[in-house]
Amino acid sequence: MLSVSGTLQISSTFKMLFTLLLGAVGVQANYGAFPSTTANTENDDFSAAIVVNSYVKYQTMIGGGCSGAFGIACQQFGSANLSAANQQIVTQTLFDENIGGLSVVRNDIGSSPANPDGSGFSILPVCPSTPAGTFNYTFDNDDTCQLELTQTALKYNPNLFVYADAWSAPGCMKTVGVDNNGGLICGVRGSNCTADWRQAYADYLVQYVRFYENLGINISMLGAYNEPDFNPVTYASMLSDGYQAKDFLEILYPTVKAAYPDLKVACCDATGFRQERTLLYELEKAGGGNLFDVAVSYIFCTMMNQADLVCRHGTTTERTNSAATNQQQAKPHD
């Protein structure tokens, strides 16, 4: 344990008692009496005894990583004319713990049978007309080169955390009938569909996990959404607020746990921390606080140094950076 004492200059308008979280290290600050909030002098100060306890852990960071979605993995494995030797060198540089040290890879669970935007192919090339129909799943043992990326990364980092995440459900399961242009999963509040496709979508996601398992790869975490607060129109996407997320997660979570008890369920890859906070608040209010294991968010629409929200979302940034690079366990009961 490390104890540090010092004097802090803090304006009286910032009367507060706070706990700092430095990674997984516990830091507690205990203050004496605060100056009156009615005073406003330049010499307001007080002593703070700060105690750092390296044995106290608050949140555990899963790790840092990248994604090969939207054909990026194919650039690494052939389409950009990298030699086989250089493909190995690049992957080792990224994932070997003694070099790049990346520990997370985020794979796109494809949703389009035609793959017009470079995203992953759907494992359901032909959708039945109703949820009661026959689902003929197929896997091409390539997954838009994401399979090779995962296999090679595992060679250099056997403890790789594999996050499988869908940008959208297949179009037949959504209100808009296509996998791009937003829309809702049929069956959640506000969808007004003629059939409820929630169980079908949950089964679809679990089947993707099963295909990887059949090839000897264990998926670590499964997600059903990507930026559900944003409709990019031109590529795979699906909208949801926290209430609608609850409507789907109440189907997905037990489906996942019945098939893979140790597989983590993520929610919900919002465009920024504030958007994720709102979504999780709504999810909790709807009674779905226990229907996910890890909270996931981008930082596209989060500017930590500004009071006002500034969204710097861009498709180029999205397609080359992973939302899984800084995931943290977010639920107190885990």
Side-chain angles (χ1 to χ4, degrees), residues 9 25 75 80 88 97 106 140 164 202 210 263-264 294 310:
Q9 294 284 341
V25 179
Q75 292 181 19
Q88 295 295 314
E97 66 174 339
R106 180 178 186 245
D140 60 5
R210 191 169 289 118
L263 178 60
K264 297 182 183 299
V294 181
V310 177

Side-chain angles (χ1 to χ4, degrees), residues 57-60 62 161 220-221 253 257 261-267 288-296 328-334:
K57 296 183 179 181
Y58 292 98
Q59 290 182 320
T60 301
I62 291 173
F161 188 93
S220 311
M221 185 165 72
Y253 196 79
K257 297 304 179 180
D262 296 329
L263 178 60
K264 297 182 183 299
V265 175
C267 177
N290 293 322
L291 298 176
F292 71 101
D293 299 308
V294 181
V296 186
Q328 293 186 345
Q329 299 286 358
K331 293 176 69 180
H333 61 270
D334 283 346

